[in-house]
């Protein structure tokens, strides 16, 4: 009885008020910005969670890569946090002098890394068939870009898809 559409809406399924939900096309991705204003996306399947972390709850660690901002405790696990923009070669460092830092926790095979970004935009369903080969990508960013989509009214902006596994496994963390 509860599953009967007549019971829920008071209308039959052939009624004009009965609306079907649209199935989104593509795959879910999280869109976000780094301090330089460049927009990137990560596949939702590789994201553990998105956090808004207070900088004073992060512990700086001496003698590690300058890309690493520190660590914090996430339900009993120590999570390293990195400045994603700096990792990708941006010249503008993340502003940590604010009340919250946006951290995207990505994981692969039980390895978790927090990627600190300037702002989290939204979730978007992006179609892989419409992805293009990346253009005008600097050498420090190229190994971590899978492709890009043209976005905006005239398609003048690029939304670049990052490879979170390549980021997690990068040798840059050792320097």
């Amino acid at each position: 009885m509860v599953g009967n559409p007549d019971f829920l809406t008071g209308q039959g399924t052939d009624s004009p008020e009965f609306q079907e939900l649209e199935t989104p096309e593509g795959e879910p991705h999280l869109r976000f910005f780094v301090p330089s204003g460049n927009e990137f996306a990560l596949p939702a399947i590789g994201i553990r969670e998105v956090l808004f972390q207070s900088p004073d709850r992060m512990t700086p660690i001496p003698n590690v890569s300058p890309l690493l901002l520190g660590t914090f405790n996430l339900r009993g696990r120590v999570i390293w946090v990195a400045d994603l923009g700096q990792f990708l070669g941006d010249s503008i460092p993340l502003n940590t002098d604010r009340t919250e830092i946006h951290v995207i926790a990505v994981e692969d095979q039980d390895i978790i890394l927090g990627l600190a970004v300037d702002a989290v935009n939204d979730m978007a369903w992006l179609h892989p068939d419409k992805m293009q080969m990346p253009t005008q990508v600097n050498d420090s960013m190229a190994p971590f870009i899978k492709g890009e989509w043209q976005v905006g009214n005239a398609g003048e902006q690029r939304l670049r898809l990052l490879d979170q596994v390549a980021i997690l496994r990068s040798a840059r963390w050792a320097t």
Side-chain angles (χ1 to χ4, degrees):
M1 171 135 185
V2 174
N4 182 349
D6 294 331
F7 177 78
L8 296 174
T9 63
Q11 307 286 328
T13 56
D14 56 350
S15 168
E17 283 84 29
F18 187 77
Q19 214 174 13
E20 283 202 35
L21 295 175
E22 291 183 30
T23 304
E25 294 199 19
E27 298 171 1
H29 292 78
L30 178 68
R31 295 173 63 170
F32 56 90
F33 295 94
V34 293
S36 64
N38 291 328
E39 187 176 15
F40 294 94
L42 281 167
I45 195 148
I47 298 173
R48 171 108 181 213
E49 63 186 283
V50 177
L51 308 154
F52 300 98
Q53 187 68 32
S54 173
D56 62 349
R57 302 217 36 207
M58 276 194 262
T59 305
I61 305 295
N63 303 320
V64 296
S65 169
L67 302 172
L68 295 167
L69 300 175
T71 63
F72 70 93
N73 186 322
L74 178 64
R75 292 184 286 286
R77 265 189 97 162
V78 175
I79 306 296
W80 287 88
V81 179
D83 181 340
L84 181 61
Q86 292 278 289
F87 176 82
L88 295 173
D90 275 352
S91 59
I92 303 170
L94 183 71
N95 177 13
T96 57
D97 188 24
R98 54 187 184 181
T99 57
E100 289 182 329
I101 295 175
H102 302 262
V103 178
I104 303 167
V106 294
E107 79 176 319
D108 179 57
Q109 297 182 356
D110 207 32
I111 298 172
I112 300 176
L113 175 66
L115 303 174
V117 299
D118 192 49
V120 174
N121 191 356
D122 62 3
M123 289 295 292
W125 289 83
L126 302 170
H127 208 289
D129 294 342
K130 295 181 181 176
M131 185 169 54
Q132 303 168 355
M133 290 301 296
T135 57
Q136 300 175 357
V137 176
N138 64 37
D139 291 341
S140 63
M141 189 186 301
F144 310 106
I145 305 291
K146 287 184 176 181
E148 66 186 19
W149 290 275
Q150 298 294 319
V151 295
N153 295 338
E156 70 279 354
Q157 298 171 325
R158 292 180 180 90
L159 173 62
R160 293 187 170 125
L161 177 63
L162 293 175
D163 181 350
Q164 77 272 9
V165 175
I167 292 170
L168 282 167
R169 308 238 179 248
S170 173
R172 280 189 199 167
W173 301 122
T175 60

